[in-house]
Amino acid sequence: MAITLFPLRTFLQNSLINTKSSQLSCRFTSSLPNPFVILRDYKFSPQHNARNTKILHAHLLKTHYLQSGIFFMDSLIGLYCKSSDMVLAHKLFDTITQPSIVSWNVMISGYVRNSMFLKSLEMFCRMHLFGFEPDEFSYGSVLSACVALQASMFGLQVFSLVVKNGFLSSGYVQTQMVDMFCKNCNFSEALRFFNDASCDNVASWNAIISLAVKNGENQVALNLFSEMCRASLMPNSYTFPSILTACCALKEMQIGKGVHGLAIKCGATDVFVETAIVDLYAKFGCMSEAYRQFSQMQVQNVVSWTAIISGFVQQDDTTFALKLFKDMRQIGHEINAYTVTSVLSACAKPELIEEAKQIHSLVLKLGLILNVKVGAALVNMYAKIGGVGLSELAFSEMKNMKDPGIWASMLSSFAQNRNSGRALELFTVMLREGVKPDEYCIGSLLSIMSSLSLGSQVHSYILKAGLVTNATVGCSLFTMYSKCGCLEESYEVFQQAIVKDNVSWASMISGFVEHGYPDQALRLFKEMLYQEVVPDHITLISILTACADLRLLRTGREIHGSTFRLGLGTNTVVGGALVNMYSKCGSLSLARKVFDILPHKDAFACSSLVSGYAQNGLIEESFLLFHDMLRNDETVDAFTITSILGAASLLCQSDIGTQLHAYIEKLGLQADVSVGSSLLTMYSKCGSIEDCRKAFDDVEKPDLIGWTSLILSYAQHGKGADALAAYELMKSEGVEPDAVTFVGILSACSHSGLVEEAFFYLNSMIEDYKITPSHRHYACIVDILGRSGRLREAESFINNMPVEPNALIWGTLLAACKVHGDFELGKLAAEKVMGLEPSDVGAYVSFSNICADGEQWEEVTKIRSSLNKTGMKKEPAWSVV
């Protein structure tokens, strides 16, 4: 037990007057001189300060003990260092004529202890210059100074001396060396030194494991931990938090549980380990176990409270997360920025607007509004609620307006609410204020950029700012070009990217698929695999869609195998894409097998199979599956309804269509564009043009497909005037026609005998909308002329077309010749059709009928003889009525 030196002078006097009778002499061996007793007791005394050290110094001078040996000088220097009086310590050191290695070490470590790291390096250099050989304590202290100063070059020079003088095996030196490599060098260099040094102390292992986790090398950290345990080194409270963090990052729940058990076995149950355990279970969604561990903690700090609150927020249990936050405040626990950001995330729901405002008030009260992360969380919270105005209000309260993170949050808020105008305006203000946008600002801006001109300007800024090599920026940039329909520019930016992560590959592949280039998507996917990039579920979904579009069953099955190898075989979204691929490739048995093994069958998977059955003529199976969906209360969305309507249209039974229409109105989907268009098509095929119009009128905002479906329905039912009126109304609504729309318009003109109008719309199509006519459009003109009896004009039109006439066009003329009994022209048209498509039985039959009508029986005999020789025959007609 150390004695109390108060006052110190009295203690010193008593120690000299009565050494034998003093209680001090009873505590220590009789051979220990009084100065040794005084120095030792003073070292551990609460009265240790600079003033008392000077008094002790004076006493040692007065009693001549200071001159009796180097021990007293070194001890006194150490006491001055401990008293933080390095000036007197250095002066005293300079009075030593022959300082020992201990003297040098005391000074070097003293400077380190008082954070005078540069002085420590100077003292070490001076020691080395005077020819003194450092020992393990010298090296350990100076390496600590190198770590603090981040003086890696000097540290490596010291490391050379360590190796040269044979101190690499010292545990103390190893620990400092590992710490220096970890903090001042890259991870690979630190790991190489650690392996070369064969460290056998726990502190070194902790340092390298911690560095591995900080650098994202979580698997390496687990491997090192296993080696540590095999080496019979006992992990401690500094080891377990790092390892538990690695388990979270690698999603290794079972290993995490094993580490938890080992921590209990090792007795490492301090607040840091317990907090890491709570965080482990919370991140894996095991909130009952996380809360049990949290409740058992003897000491709960702000980190553990934040971990458990964040866990409930991630599980969307907002009510309990807010209750815990309320409990935390009631017991007076400290609240930091991380706690507040978690609670703000919980309040990012429209129904929690009042709670959000209360937390906002608390943030202002606690003065946390100056924290960048808190400010960003506030802006994001209001953005998710839909209150862009409140986001701007929170943004205006920020004082640290130079931080790009705050601006990124506000830009993201505008992006979430699709307000591209305000986002661009804010970006301009940001540049004017001299704030340099980071990759998150650029990414948010590009995510809602729909103007190619503005996007190109932002691209120019990215090049100027040197952000083009950033993976996030590059991905946003080529995605922007893809959305603007510029696939060539998009792919060029993608190729120029130095770093391509999973998101980049997935975005580019998805862009090709969405814009109708599935073959390019497959080629890029093969390149991705060649680069040894492991595809994620988004990439697999896109490439399965490409296989479906190209009807590549074999490739699709290979991708199916990859999904199982990657552990995504039963993923709901991937499963839906597999069902869709097999359905479109006509392999309905495989589609059904995949569908049946899915643990959860979403609307897309159901709709894909329903559509697959319908498209392959299995109408009954299609309706049975739809019935099962209704019976099992499966979610029925617009895509499912569209698929079953497609099946119903093939039946041409209006009663089934009427029942489906009633169900659609019950679900409130009649205003959906795709549903309305499908209803319209179904009624059209059932012959009910009035119901077509009613279905169209129910659509909230018809798109091009809806308008085109209406026009085609009118055309097919001979209501040319109505079709043309619908076309004019479509244009007045600002919807531009496409090639399919003009097929409907020209068909309407044909069925109504509107010859001049047909030529007008054909010219409009070319001149006004820059649409190149296809064979179908030209066939419509030939049909109009043929129906009007203007067969020679039709022949002349065919001969002057800018494209080579095909069998469809000559067949149309042939049909007109049959109606009007033109034998010569009919014979020419028939020869053209039979030359282009020799297997077209209809052409033979039509020409045979023309010959029969003209009593050309020899020709009839020849045609029928040629049919018999080729083995072709006309299929009998049939009707569903």
Side-chain angles (χ1 to χ4, degrees):
M1 177 179 175
I3 60 174
T4 302
L5 301 182
F6 187 78
L8 182 64
R9 294 182 186 277
T10 305
F11 166 69
L12 291 173
Q13 290 171 359
N14 292 338
S15 296
L16 291 173
I17 293 170
N18 194 6
T19 302
K20 292 183 180 180
S21 61
S22 172
Q23 292 180 357
L24 190 63
S25 60
C26 298
R27 294 190 183 95
F28 305 105
T29 59
S30 58
S31 61
L32 190 65
N34 282 335
F36 290 97
V37 175
I38 295 169
L39 286 171
R40 191 172 70 178
D41 284 349
Y42 176 61
K43 182 178 179 181
F44 298 103
S45 167
Q47 297 296 319
H48 194 122
N49 53 46
R51 180 175 178 276
N52 284 337
T53 303
K54 290 177 183 178
I55 296 172
L56 180 60
H57 187 177
H59 169 70
L60 293 175
L61 285 171
K62 184 177 180 181
T63 55
H64 303 289
Y65 281 109
L66 200 59
Q67 295 82 7
S68 64
I70 192 68
F71 170 79
F72 292 104
M73 291 290 284
D74 293 342
S75 298
L76 190 58
I77 292 171
L79 292 172
Y80 273 121
C81 291
K82 191 177 179 181
S83 302
S84 301
D85 195 338
M86 292 307 299
V87 175
L88 285 177
H90 200 122
K91 286 181 178 180
L92 186 59
F93 174 82
D94 286 341
T95 63
I96 303 175
T97 54
Q98 292 184 336
S100 66
I101 187 65
V102 176
S103 309
W104 289 100
N105 287 345
V106 169
M107 285 301 299
I108 294 169
S109 62
Y111 278 125
V112 172
R113 178 185 298 171
N114 288 279
S115 301
M116 301 172 70
F117 305 112
L118 196 57
K119 287 287 186 181
S120 178
L121 297 187
E122 291 174 359
M123 186 61 69
F124 180 82
C125 292
R126 183 179 167 192
M127 169 189 177
H128 191 262
L129 184 65
F130 288 166
F132 284 88
E133 290 294 336
D135 62 8
E136 59 180 316
F137 301 106
S138 315
Y139 288 123
S141 296
V142 76
L143 285 170
S144 295
C146 292
V147 171
L149 291 171
Q150 297 183 346
S152 56
M153 292 302 297
F154 192 88
L156 291 172
Q157 292 176 9
V158 174
F159 171 55
S160 301
L161 290 174
V162 168
V163 175
K164 179 182 177 182
N165 296 327
F167 284 99
L168 193 58
S169 59
S170 167
Y172 180 57
V173 175
Q174 283 180 354
T175 302
Q176 299 301 327
M177 281 301 306
V178 170
D179 193 40
M180 186 198 74
F181 272 99
C182 287
K183 292 180 179 176
N184 294 346
C185 304
N186 61 47
F187 175 69
S188 59
E189 290 179 356
L191 185 60
R192 185 169 59 250
F193 166 76
F194 178 81
N195 291 327
D196 292 343
S198 301
C199 300
D200 58 358
N201 59 87
V202 176
S204 298
W205 284 87
N206 287 345
I208 193 67
I209 288 172
S210 175
L211 181 66
V213 173
K214 288 176 182 176
N215 281 270
E217 300 286 349
N218 298 291
Q219 189 59 56
V220 176
L222 287 184
N223 294 340
L224 287 167
F225 180 69
S226 299
E227 290 179 30
M228 178 182 178
C229 294
R230 284 197 296 270
S232 300
L233 291 170
M234 184 70 72
N236 59 22
S237 298
Y238 296 97
T239 318
F240 290 111
S242 296
I243 291 301
L244 289 168
T245 301
C247 291
C248 290
L250 294 171
K251 296 181 170 48
E252 292 285 0
M253 180 63 180
Q254 293 305 315
I255 296 177
K257 286 183 176 180
V259 174
H260 179 191
L262 184 60
I264 296 173
K265 184 178 179 181
C266 295
T269 55
D270 64 10
V271 66
F272 302 106
V273 176
E274 289 176 334
T275 299
I277 291 169
V278 170
D279 189 52
L280 170 81
Y281 288 112
K283 284 182 177 174
F284 280 102
C286 303
M287 294 313 302
S288 57
E289 183 61 25
Y291 187 67
R292 189 172 72 84
Q293 294 294 328
F294 175 78
S295 302
Q296 292 175 355
M297 291 178 67
Q298 294 183 352
V299 178
Q300 296 164 338
N301 61 8
V302 64
V303 181
S304 55
W305 276 99
T306 303
I308 194 68
I309 290 171
S310 298
F312 280 109
V313 172
Q314 290 167 13
Q315 294 302 308
D316 203 29
D317 193 345
T318 304
T319 304
F320 201 70
L322 292 177
K323 178 186 177 301
L324 284 171
F325 181 67
K326 182 180 179 182
D327 294 343
M328 182 182 181
R329 289 194 62 208
Q330 285 179 343
I331 62 178
H333 252 296
E334 173 197 359
I335 297 171
N336 64 16
Y338 297 101
T339 318
V340 171
T341 52
S342 294
V343 176
L344 288 171
S345 298
C347 294
K349 296 179 179 179
E351 64 270 19
L352 295 175
I353 183 67
E354 292 304 319
E355 287 81 354
K357 290 178 180 178
Q358 291 176 26
I359 301 299
H360 190 170
S361 300
L362 179 63
V363 167
L364 293 171
K365 181 180 178 181
L366 296 174
L368 291 172
I369 194 68
L370 300 178
N371 184 282
V372 174
K373 293 186 181 298
V374 173
L378 267 172
V379 173
N380 288 331
M381 176 190 70
Y382 284 128
K384 290 179 179 178
I385 291 173
V388 184
L390 292 172
S391 286
E392 292 191 78
L393 177 62
F395 178 74
S396 65
E397 292 173 350
M398 309 296 167
K399 302 299 181 183
N400 191 12
M401 297 297 283
K402 295 296 182 182
D403 192 292
I406 298 295
W407 294 82
S409 297
M410 195 63 237
L411 284 168
S412 176
S413 174
F414 287 132
Q416 289 176 45
N417 290 275
R418 313 307 301 170
N419 195 334
S420 57
R422 289 289 290 121
L424 190 62
E425 182 183 334
L426 182 67
F427 186 75
T428 306
V429 172
M430 185 179 185
L431 296 177
R432 192 164 58 240
E433 293 289 331
V435 181
K436 186 178 180 181
D438 60 10
E439 62 268 28
Y440 303 107
C441 297
I442 299 293
S444 295
L445 183 64
L446 289 173
S447 68
I448 53 172
M449 191 73 69
S450 56
S451 168
L452 182 60
S453 174
L454 291 173
S456 300
Q457 293 179 47
V458 175
H459 189 179
S460 300
Y461 173 79
I462 290 169
L463 291 169
K464 183 179 179 181
L467 290 170
V468 72
T469 57
N470 183 277
T472 303
V473 173
C475 184
S476 301
L477 190 59
F478 65 72
T479 302
M480 181 274 297
Y481 278 119
S482 177
K483 285 193 300 183
C484 293
C486 302
L487 264 294
E488 188 176 342
E489 289 82 354
S490 177
Y491 186 56
E492 186 179 344
V493 174
F494 173 79
Q495 287 182 308
Q496 290 173 354
I498 298 173
V499 179
K500 299 182 183 73
D501 57 7
N502 256 324
V503 178
S504 301
W505 287 97
S507 298
M508 194 67 247
I509 290 171
S510 298
F512 278 132
V513 173
E514 289 168 7
H515 287 84
Y517 296 95
D519 50 343
Q520 291 278 33
L522 277 170
R523 186 188 60 77
L524 192 61
F525 180 69
K526 290 176 183 177
E527 184 182 336
M528 175 185 180
L529 297 180
Y530 182 76
Q531 298 288 339
E532 297 183 352
V533 179
V534 179
D536 58 10
H537 70 284
I538 298 174
T539 310
L540 291 172
I541 291 166
S542 297
I543 210 64
L544 284 169
T545 304
C547 292
D549 292 341
L550 294 171
R551 306 296 190 266
L552 297 177
L553 179 59
R554 182 177 177 181
T555 305
R557 295 185 70 171
E558 292 174 355
I559 304 299
H560 191 180
S562 298
T563 63
F564 276 102
R565 286 194 297 272
L566 295 170
L568 296 170
T570 57
N571 180 279
T572 300
V573 184
V574 175
L578 282 166
V579 172
N580 179 58
M581 182 272 296
Y582 282 126
S583 297
K584 287 189 175 179
C585 290
S587 182
L588 292 171
S589 59
L590 288 175
R592 186 67 195 227
K593 285 181 180 178
V594 174
F595 180 80
D596 289 338
I597 65 172
L598 287 176
H600 175 68
K601 299 168 179 60
D602 64 356
F604 179 71
C606 295
S607 304
S608 297
L609 193 53
V610 167
S611 179
Y613 280 139
Q615 289 170 10
N616 286 274
L618 301 173
I619 309 300
E620 184 179 351
E621 286 83 351
S622 179
F623 274 95
L624 285 174
L625 180 59
F626 182 69
H627 182 262
D628 289 340
M629 289 178 65
L630 299 181
R631 188 175 58 191
N632 296 327
D633 292 329
E634 297 282 354
T635 302
V636 177
D637 61 1
F639 185 58
T640 315
I641 291 295
T642 303
S643 299
I644 200 65
L645 284 171
S649 66
L650 296 175
L651 290 175
C652 296
Q653 292 185 8
S654 58
D655 56 338
I656 294 177
T658 304
Q659 292 178 48
L660 286 171
H661 195 168
Y663 180 68
I664 288 167
E665 291 192 345
K666 181 181 177 182
L667 294 177
L669 292 174
Q670 69 275 10
D672 185 90
V673 176
S674 60
V675 173
S677 299
S678 298
L679 263 176
L680 192 154
T681 303
M682 182 200 68
Y683 280 128
S684 177
K685 289 186 177 181
C686 292
S688 179
I689 193 66
E690 292 78 12
D691 289 326
C692 282
R693 183 70 203 204
K694 288 178 182 177
F696 179 81
D697 290 338
D698 284 339
V699 177
E700 186 174 346
K701 191 175 181 182
D703 61 358
L704 175 61
I705 296 173
W707 283 104
T708 302
S709 298
L710 181 65
I711 292 168
L712 286 169
S713 296
Y714 278 135
Q716 289 164 8
H717 287 79
K719 294 183 176 293
D722 291 331
L724 297 181
Y727 172 70
E728 295 300 328
L729 185 59
M730 180 188 84
K731 289 199 300 181
S732 68
E733 293 289 332
V735 180
E736 284 197 3
D738 63 0
V740 181
T741 312
F742 278 106
V743 169
I745 292 297
L746 294 175
S747 296
C749 292
S750 176
H751 288 295
S752 301
L754 304 172
V755 180
E756 301 306 322
E757 288 83 351
F759 279 100
F760 169 78
Y761 286 117
L762 181 66
N763 289 329
S764 174
M765 170 184 174
I766 299 169
E767 299 295 332
D768 299 335
Y769 298 102
K770 312 302 179 187
I771 299 173
T772 303
S774 68
H775 286 96
R776 289 185 66 190
H777 299 101
Y778 290 124
C780 288
I781 298 296
V782 173
D783 186 50
I784 293 170
L785 293 171
R787 285 172 184 263
S788 302
R790 298 156 69 169
L791 299 179
R792 298 301 164 184
E793 286 185 46
E795 180 188 10
S796 176
F797 178 81
I798 292 172
N799 292 330
N800 291 303
M801 285 193 316
V803 296
E804 193 70 25
N806 64 0
L808 172 65
I809 292 174
W810 285 114
T812 304
L813 181 60
L814 177 60
C817 290
K818 179 181 179 299
V819 172
H820 295 284
D822 192 326
F823 173 75
E824 294 299 328
L825 189 56
K827 183 178 180 180
L828 173 66
E831 289 174 351
K832 293 287 186 181
V833 174
M834 289 184 285
L836 291 167
E837 291 188 6
S839 60
D840 186 352
V841 180
Y844 289 90
V845 173
S846 295
F847 185 50
S848 174
N849 291 336
I850 292 174
C851 294
D853 292 339
E855 298 182 353
Q856 303 286 332
W857 303 114
E858 290 183 7
E859 290 291 337
V860 172
T861 304
K862 288 180 184 179
I863 295 169
R864 291 183 178 178
S865 176
S866 63
L867 273 174
N868 292 331
K869 286 179 182 179
T870 57
M872 294 186 294
K873 61 180 181 178
K874 185 179 183 298
E875 294 292 335
W878 60 277
S879 173
V880 296
V881 179

